[in-house]
Amino acid sequence: DGQPITAAPAVAMDSAANRWVFFGTGRFFNRQDATNQLTAADQESFYGIKEPMTTDPVTHAKSFTWAAVAPAKLLDVSDAVVYEGGTTVDGVAGVADFGKLKQAVQDDAGWLLDFATAGERNLGQATILGDILTFTTYMPSLDACRFEGESYLYALYYGTGTAYTQSVIGLGTRTVTQQDGTQAHEVLKTRLLGRGVAITPNIHTGREQGSKAYVQSSTGEILEIHQLNPSVVKSGKASWEEWWDNGSTPQE
C-alpha cells in the first residue's frame, strides 16, 4: 500500500514485559524511487508496535496472539512537540503533557510517525539503547546536477515515538511559558546530517555521559553525534581509570 519496508526491524522489551517492534518504510533502489513524489498513498512512516498479547483470566499468564495491528490502533504522533520537562506537549489530540502521552500510547497498540518532509524515507535498521530509539532517513535530490540528497538523524523516546522530556540531540527555538513563568524550549527529535546516504547508526558508550551515535555517509564521512541518553546505558564502570578516580585500588 505504498509503504515498502527495506530494513529489518529492531526489537526491545519494556518494564511491563511488552515486546516492541520498530521499523520504518521507504526504499531507494533506482532513480525512479528518487523522483517518486509524496502523495497521500506514498507517505512514508516509522512505527513502534507492541506485539499483541492475551492474558489468561485464571493464571494471568501472558501469551502472544500474533494478531494483525491496524494503523487505527496506533497513536499518531506525527505532529507531537515535546517541551523541556514534559509539562507541555502539543500536536496530539487529548494530550497535554508527557505523562498523558505515555499513557495514551499504553492504551493503544503503539505509535506511528509520518515523515514530514516530501520524499523522506527510512532505509536502515534502527538502534535502541536505554530509552532512545535512533535511526536515519534519507531524502533524495531531484536536481539532476546534484546526485546525492540529504540524510537526517532521529532520536526518539521508544515508548512514545516523540522527543524525550530533556535534550538528547539538542533544543529548538520554539518555547512555551510554564506555570512558574520560565520558558521551556522544544526538545528536538531530529537533526540534519548533511549530504549523502546514511543508513544504520552505531551506538557507542564510553566514559562520557550518555552515548555517541556514529553514522557513515555515502560521501565517506563518518559523523559523530553525542546523545544525552536519559536511561541507564552502562552496566558498570567503563575503564580502570573510573575505579581509580572513585578511590578504589586497581587490580592486576
Side-chain angles (χ1 to χ4, degrees):
D1 294 328
Q3 289 200 318
I5 300 170
T6 301
V11 296
M13 181 186 294
D14 64 20
S15 59
N18 292 307
R19 298 191 181 186
W20 289 78
V21 180
F22 303 101
F23 63 93
T25 69
R27 71 177 208 175
F28 186 58
F29 295 148
N30 51 47
R31 290 306 296 174
Q32 184 178 357
D33 288 339
T35 57
N36 183 34
Q37 295 299 307
L38 190 68
T39 67
D42 295 325
Q43 172 72 62
E44 306 300 348
S45 312
F46 205 94
Y47 294 89
I49 299 176
K50 290 177 285 186
E51 191 67 66
M53 302 180 74
T54 185
T55 303
D56 187 285
V58 178
T59 65
H60 303 291
K62 293 184 177 181
S63 59
F64 295 113
T65 66
W66 314 114
V69 177
K73 297 294 185 180
L74 305 174
L75 184 68
D76 189 340
V77 295
S78 305
D79 298 324
V81 178
V82 179
Y83 292 89
E84 290 177 288
T87 56
T88 302
V89 172
D90 291 334
V92 182
V95 170
D97 58 52
F98 198 74
K100 289 183 174 62
L101 177 63
K102 290 174 65 177
Q103 186 59 53
V105 175
Q106 286 298 322
D107 293 341
D108 287 335
W111 52 264
L112 72 88
L113 168 68
D114 288 337
F115 299 135
T117 307
E120 187 176 0
R121 74 282 313 267
N122 171 246
L123 303 175
Q125 187 177 22
T127 303
I128 184 166
L129 178 67
D131 289 338
I132 301 302
L133 179 73
T134 305
F135 61 90
T136 62
T137 61
Y138 180 62
M139 187 175 66
S141 173
L142 300 180
D143 186 349
C145 298
R146 185 184 180 193
F147 181 73
E148 292 188 287
E150 294 178 320
S151 291
Y152 296 84
L153 181 82
Y154 282 76
L156 309 179
Y157 178 68
Y158 80 95
T160 61
T162 67
Y164 190 58
T165 58
Q166 64 191 52
S167 173
V168 175
I169 55 174
L171 300 175
T173 57
R174 285 190 288 185
T175 61
V176 293
T177 302
Q178 303 187 101
Q179 291 184 347
D180 61 1
T182 61
Q183 297 294 309
H185 285 79
E186 171 193 2
V187 182
L188 296 179
K189 63 183 177 184
T190 185
R191 58 172 287 183
L192 177 66
L193 291 176
R195 186 171 61 88
V197 183
I199 306 295
T200 300
N202 293 291
I203 309 298
H204 173 266
T205 60
R207 296 192 64 187
E208 74 281 351
Q209 181 183 1
S211 56
K212 290 181 179 179
Y214 290 91
V215 184
Q216 183 164 9
S217 169
S218 60
T219 63
E221 183 180 9
I222 298 178
L223 304 169
E224 177 185 309
I225 302 96
H226 185 211
Q227 295 181 319
L228 296 173
N229 199 309
S231 183
V232 176
V233 296
K234 293 183 279 190
S235 61
K237 296 186 182 296
S239 70
W240 66 267
E241 290 178 304
E242 292 188 57
W243 288 100
W244 183 266
D245 293 341
N246 196 39
S248 301
T249 303
Q251 301 294 323
E252 294 186 359

